[in-house]
Each structure stands twice: as C-alpha cells, then as structure tokens.
C-alpha cells in the first residue's frame, strides 16, 4: 500500500478497542500489585536531554548508537524521545531530590510509550510501551529475588503461566574488569570474522559483542569465556543467595551465562522473562541491578534495581476473547420524536447507574432504529412509545434470538435499574 498521511509512522500503531482493554487491564492489575510491594507511580517526560541516555545507557550500546530518536529543538538543544524508562526516572530522582536520609528504599513504577528506531517485526515496534519498576537504596540478594518475583507475579496475575526466568550475574566492577580482559583476548582471535559493528565494539565496549544480533557473532560468542568463571567470592555468594531466595519463592529459573543485557548500566544480577510455550521467543521483560547509575547521573551513591515489561509483547499473549466489551449493551429507543425527551431521561438514569447504554434516536422509524441498535451490538432494547409514556412503563426486547421466551416484556419504569443490574 502506498504511503499517505493516513499511514502511521513505520513501526508505530494506534492503540484502541480490544488492545486498549488489554493494556488497561495489565496496568490496573500491575498498579494493585505494585501498591502491595510499596511502589508509587511516577510519570516522567517523554523527551529528555540526550545526555541523560548517553551517560546512563552507554554510548556504545545499540540503543544509544543506532536506535534513538534524537533531534535538535528550536532552541538548538539536543533532545531524545526516551528509548526506555530507567534513565529518566533516575534523572527525576536527582532533579527532585527524592533521596533523603530516611526514605529508602524508594520504589517507583511507571508506564508509557518508549521509542527505538529498531527494525519493526512481530513484537518489535518503534513506538512501544513499557511497564517499569525501579527500587533505589536496597542492596540485598533478597531485593533482587523480590524484583524477579514481582515481575513473575505480574505475568501470572494477568494469566501468563508459561513464563521462564533467565538469570545471570555480571558481578561488581573488579569481576567485570577481569572478565573484560578475558573476552578481549578471546574475541581478538576471531577479530577478522566478527561483524563490522563488533570489530568496533571490541575496541570500545567488548561486553556488547555478547548481545550482538549478528548470526556469525552469535556463534563465536557460544565458546567465549563465561562471566561466572570470573566472579569474585563475594559476587558468587551474592548470586547464590539470589538463586536460593528465588527457590524459596517457588520461582523456576535458568542460569544463562551468556546473558549480558543490552544496556551498560547493569552490575550483579540481571534477568529476563521469556515464554516457554514457543508462542514468542524474545524477552517479555527484563531488568537487573544498576548500582552506580544514580551517582553517574549526579545523584547520591545509592544502589538500584528494576525491570521493565514490554506491553505489546505481553498483550500479544493475552486471550482476545476475554477482552471484548461489556457483555450486554442497553439501547434506549424512542418510537417517535414525541417520546424523545422522555427516553432521554431514561438514558441518563441508566448511565448514572454505571450501566453501559446507547441512545438510539436517529432513524425514520422504529425498525430503522432497531437496525442501528443491532449494529451497535445491543443486547437489550428499552422502547418508549406513546403507551409506555402514558403508563410509566418500558417495553423490553432482547436481541438475543435464542432467548425467544423472554422477548417483549413490559416492566414498570421505576424498576428498570434493578432489572438491568440483577437480571
Ligand atoms: P529492555 O530489555 O531494553 O530493558 O526492555 C524491556 C522490555 O521492553 C523488553 O523485554 C521488551 O519486552 C520491551 N521492548 C524493548 N524494545 C522493544 C521494541 N522495540 N518493541 C517492543 N517491545 C520492546 C529496559 O528498557 C530497561 N530500562 C529495564 C530496566 C528497568 N532495567 C532496570 N530497570
């Protein structure tokens, strides 16, 4: 189809109908769970100064080097549509001085659109939505396990039970420095065979080779040294405790020594959640610990951990049938214009009782109006004609043909709300 002004920007789509119902259901469920775990909600701007992302996510990551929507505003400032939520939330914590001596841990959740100039495909968009959680100032393996449990609980609460947790540890800075030396040595042997991007990564940020999307790079990575062999004693103890706590929570996990995640701010525990039934192969959510990030952005030196769930990927897994509109729709129909005001009063009464209703008053005759109501998927028609006005009654017609016996019933108008709610 040729492009017109009505073609949405590539990789972006409108959110409406069943998908919107799914979106709202996930967010409503997540907010209830988040409250239980002590999170409050934050909304940061969709654009930030470009440096916020460069500094936190890292210049050599694919996200920053290839995927950001960065442009100059009219004041010649470089601004960027947020590619993820963590950096902006950290910036907001610093800007608003949210960390004071006795308010830790500080737990914030957020949801909303993110933007990455990625190659669109199933479950991968240029505008997508994340539901994210950040917890600041609680450095403990228990906190790490609780974060993973929280991510898992959100998925199970919306009905996704085939979730598999993949977990790894990047250790602290000293562990990573030793590991970096080892992988530089290893990848240098294969330098000629690496993709052009990974040749650059080898010089600038070798860890990023491990999350290269190039098939050849991926094969070379399979035999690369594993971070687990370079963790120091404390890191090993910490990671073991995370795993044990997950077991105590009854969460099944797989240790994936090749998992590094695509963002530079991580240290220690990192994790991803995937679906094990083969419905979709990429991660539904992911996160990890980012202890130096707040300090890097000019804030206090407090630890942090969090994760984000990709809303489109999660919505894709939910059953369409459960997200249809309310099961019955009431249409109020005046037989002629003479009854229009009387019927309108009835329509308002029904709405004020939180019952979904339509006011079908356009159409030359009753059968035309019934046809319109049918197109609106109405299940119950409330018909007001001359007789009904005179007797203060309503004629009820069920559109559902299988309920033949219940068609055309007349009831006292005073009883209509109870009738609709409890019948
Ligand atoms: P991320 O792994 O880059 O982590 O993204 C989290 C989730 O967002 C992914 O697992 C995926 O479901 C979804 N996602 C990412 N890119 C796309 C895309 N192009 N289209 C559709 N969905 C996508 C982060 O963003 C970190 N900020 C998570 C975090 C929070 N770490 C600590 N705190």
């Amino acid at each position: 189809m040729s492009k017109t002004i009505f073609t949405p920007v590539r990789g972006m789509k409108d959110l409406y109908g069943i998908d919107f119902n799914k979106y709202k259901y996930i967010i409503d469920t997540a907010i209830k769970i988040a409250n239980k775990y002590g999170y409050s909600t934050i909304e940061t701007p969709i654009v930030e100064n470009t440096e916020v992302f460069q500094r936190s996510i890292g210049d050599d990551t694919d996200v920053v080097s290839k995927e950001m929507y960065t442009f100059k505003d009219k004041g010649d400032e470089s601004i960027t549509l947020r590619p993820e939520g963590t950096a902006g939330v950290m910036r907001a914590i610093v800007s608003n001085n949210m960390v004071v001596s006795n308010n830790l841990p500080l737990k914030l959740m957020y949801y909303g659109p993110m933007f990455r100039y990625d190659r669109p495909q199933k479950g991968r968009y240029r505008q997508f939505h994340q539901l994210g959680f950040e917890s600041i100032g609680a450095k403990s393996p228990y906190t790490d396990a609780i974060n993973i449990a929280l991510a898992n609980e959100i998925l199970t609460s919306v009905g996704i039970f085939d979730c598999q947790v993949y977990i790894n540890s990047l250790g602290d800075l000293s562990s990573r420095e030793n590991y970096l030396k080892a992988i530089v040595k290893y990848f240098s042997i294969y330098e000629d065979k690496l993709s052009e991007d990974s040749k650059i990564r080898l010089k600038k940020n070798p860890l990023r080779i491990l999350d290269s999307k190039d098939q050849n790079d991926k094969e070379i990575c399979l035999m690369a040294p594993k971070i687990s062999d370079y963790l120091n004693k404390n890191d090993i103890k910490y990671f073991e405790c995370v795993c044990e706590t997950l077991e105590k929570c009854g969460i099944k996990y797989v240790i994936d020594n090749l998992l590094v995640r695509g963002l530079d701010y991580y240290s220690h525990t990192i994790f991803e959640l995937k679906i094990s039934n083969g419905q979709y192969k990429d991660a539904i959510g992911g996160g990890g610990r980012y202890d130096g990030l707040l300090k890097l952005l000019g804030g206090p030196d407090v630890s942090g951990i969090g994760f984000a769930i990709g809303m489109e990927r999660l919505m894709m897994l939910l059953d369409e049938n459960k997200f249809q509109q309310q099961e019955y729709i009431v249409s109020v129909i005046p037989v002629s214009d003479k009854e229009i005001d009387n019927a309108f009063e009835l329509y308002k009464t029904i709405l004020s009782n939180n019952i979904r209703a339509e006011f079908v008053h356009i159409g030359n005759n009753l059968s035309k109006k019934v046809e319109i109501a049918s197109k609106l998927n109405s299940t119950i028609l409330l018909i007001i004609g001359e007789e009904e006005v005179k007797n203060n009654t309503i004629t009820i017609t069920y559109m559902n043909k299988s309920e033949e016996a219940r068609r055309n019933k007349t009831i006292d108008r005073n009883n209509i709300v109870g009738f609709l709610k409890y019948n």
Side-chain angles (χ1 to χ4, degrees):
M1 206 169 66
S2 66
K3 200 173 146 187
T4 71
I5 57 159
F6 304 112
T7 317
V9 172
R10 184 161 138 80
M12 306 200 180
K13 58 179 186 165
D14 304 303
L15 182 59
Y16 65 97
I18 290 179
D19 274 349
F20 191 86
N21 296 347
K22 287 182 178 179
Y23 184 88
K24 189 170 176 303
Y25 172 69
I26 297 168
I27 299 298
D28 289 349
T29 307
I31 289 175
K32 280 190 206 127
I33 297 171
N35 284 340
K36 189 172 78 172
Y37 282 82
Y39 284 77
S40 57
T41 309
I42 184 168
E43 195 173 301
T44 63
I46 284 168
V47 287
E48 296 278 351
N49 292 313
T50 304
E51 209 189 325
V52 170
F53 303 115
Q54 286 171 328
R55 247 210 254 181
S56 47
I57 300 169
D59 273 326
D60 307 315
T61 58
D62 279 358
V63 171
V64 170
S65 66
K66 295 183 187 166
E67 296 169 4
M68 292 209 306
Y69 281 86
T70 296
F71 49 91
K72 289 275 175 74
D73 68 8
K74 291 198 167 94
D76 211 28
E77 300 286 341
S78 176
I79 58 174
T80 295
L81 293 179
R82 61 184 185 192
E84 56 100 60
T86 312
V89 171
M90 294 307 119
R91 195 272 311 137
I93 291 174
V94 180
S95 310
N96 299 292
N97 261 328
M98 283 188 208
V99 174
V100 288
S101 54
N102 56 1
N103 72 340
L104 298 177
L106 175 63
K107 298 184 200 168
L108 299 170
M109 75 158 275
Y110 53 90
Y111 50 91
M114 309 288 158
F115 304 83
R116 294 186 192 177
Y117 196 82
D118 207 340
R119 196 145 50 88
Q121 51 192 283
K122 189 179 176 199
R124 191 172 296 279
Y125 304 97
R126 289 184 174 172
Q127 177 178 312
F128 59 99
H129 296 76
Q130 280 186 346
L131 163 65
F133 292 78
E134 311 296 349
S135 165
I136 301 301
K139 174 78 183 273
S140 140
Y142 286 90
T143 308
D144 299 15
I146 291 168
N147 263 267
I148 297 171
L150 168 58
N152 191 62
E153 184 172 338
I154 290 170
L155 297 192
T156 53
S157 299
V158 298
I160 304 301
F161 299 102
D162 300 318
C163 173
Q164 179 73 66
V165 174
Y166 292 83
I167 177 171
N168 196 16
S169 172
L170 294 175
D172 67 7
L173 206 57
S174 77
S175 296
R176 267 198 315 286
E177 270 166 8
N178 288 334
Y179 180 55
L180 277 180
K181 283 183 201 147
I183 55 170
V184 168
K185 201 168 156 194
Y186 172 80
F187 286 123
S188 298
I189 302 171
Y190 297 96
E191 188 167 356
D192 290 348
K193 298 200 174 80
L194 288 174
S195 67
E196 289 310 308
D197 276 347
S198 285
K199 282 181 188 145
I200 300 169
R201 290 175 183 130
L202 184 58
K203 301 272 171 320
K204 288 187 166 176
N205 191 344
L207 206 60
R208 294 275 69 86
I209 301 177
L210 293 167
D211 54 53
S212 167
K213 288 170 193 149
D214 180 275
Q215 199 47 44
N216 208 34
D217 288 354
K218 278 185 176 172
E219 274 162 33
I220 298 172
C221 288
L222 286 177
M223 299 305 288
K226 307 278 178 284
I227 179 92
S228 48
D229 296 326
Y230 294 82
L231 296 180
N232 62 39
K233 267 196 192 138
N234 284 342
D235 289 345
I236 293 172
K237 210 167 132 213
Y238 188 99
F239 190 53
E240 278 172 359
C241 185
V242 175
C243 295
E244 281 160 22
T245 313
L246 283 178
E247 279 154 35
K248 284 180 198 150
C249 298
I251 292 176
K252 293 197 192 90
Y253 61 87
V254 172
I255 297 176
D256 177 358
N257 289 135
L258 283 175
L259 181 67
V260 285
R261 308 263 307 128
L263 314 160
D264 271 358
Y265 48 61
Y266 292 116
S267 59
H268 292 281
T269 314
I270 50 171
F271 58 95
E272 282 186 349
L273 296 106
K274 293 185 178 173
I275 295 302
S276 51
N277 65 9
Q279 234 180 316
Y280 187 70
K281 69 173 183 20
D282 288 343
I284 307 302
R289 184 159 278 291
Y290 46 81
D291 289 342
L293 181 57
L294 206 53
K295 187 162 178 248
L296 192 78
L297 287 175
D301 189 6
V302 285
S303 63
I305 181 165
F307 65 90
I309 289 171
M311 290 293 289
E312 282 74 10
R313 293 188 187 177
L314 181 52
M315 282 152 60
M316 190 167 78
L317 302 172
L318 302 185
D319 183 357
E320 298 271 307
N321 297 323
K322 292 195 186 137
F323 294 89
Q324 306 286 354
Q325 288 288 2
Q326 192 176 322
E327 61 290 355
Y328 71 92
I329 303 173
V330 176
S331 276
V332 179
I333 307 182
V335 173
S336 74
D337 283 359
K338 277 189 269 163
E339 293 86 29
I340 208 162
D341 288 339
N342 186 288
F344 188 58
E345 284 306 313
L346 175 63
Y347 167 69
K348 286 196 301 178
T349 306
I350 292 167
L351 284 187
S352 66
N353 281 280
N354 297 323
I355 296 169
R356 178 158 178 214
E358 300 285 346
F359 183 45
V360 184
H361 59 292
I362 295 167
N364 291 339
N365 52 40
L366 184 59
S367 60
K368 184 74 198 158
K369 288 174 195 167
V370 170
E371 198 184 310
I372 294 170
S374 164
K375 283 190 183 141
L376 292 169
N377 294 326
S378 305
T379 43
I380 302 176
L381 309 186
L382 306 186
I383 297 171
I384 305 288
E386 225 173 63
E387 279 296 297
E388 285 80 3
V389 173
K390 200 168 81 194
N391 301 328
N392 202 32
T393 55
I394 298 167
T395 295
I396 294 176
T397 300
Y398 289 92
M399 296 295 273
N400 186 343
K401 296 222 170 62
S402 67
E403 309 222 20
E404 207 70 35
R406 297 170 73 199
R407 298 184 87 200
N408 280 359
K409 199 180 213 164
T410 299
I411 69 156
D412 188 324
R413 182 160 172 151
N414 297 323
N415 298 332
I416 188 64
V417 172
F419 175 86
L420 291 174
K421 280 196 170 164
Y422 305 111
N423 259 291

